[in-house]
Amino acid sequence: MSRRRLRAAARWTDHTTHKEQGSMIRRYIIWRNRHADDQRLRAVVDRANVA
């Protein structure tokens, strides 16, 4: 994810604290790394990156 998108996501979050937001970001990164070989997910990400 680009830094621009991360900053936008950070600005428009509904998490109440930075700690909670950081925890959710870490959980997402862990989830994404575990699913790195998922071809269906890769296809969705590739389509989203074109837009």
Side-chain angles (χ1 to χ4, degrees):
M1 188 177 280
S2 72
R3 284 189 175 187
R4 177 181 284 168
R5 287 185 182 176
L6 283 173
R7 280 195 301 258
R11 261 184 273 144
W12 299 314
T13 185
D14 59 351
H15 299 104
T16 55
T17 65
H18 289 286
K19 185 176 181 179
E20 181 183 359
Q21 183 179 358
S23 175
M24 295 305 292
I25 290 169
R26 281 188 295 280
R27 287 177 59 192
Y28 169 76
I29 291 169
I30 291 167
W31 177 88
R32 184 64 182 90
N33 287 339
R34 287 185 182 161
H35 294 87
D37 295 331
D38 185 339
Q39 293 304 316
R40 288 186 333 167
L41 179 60
R42 172 100 28 223
V44 170
V45 170
D46 289 345
R47 282 194 307 268
N49 286 336
V50 172

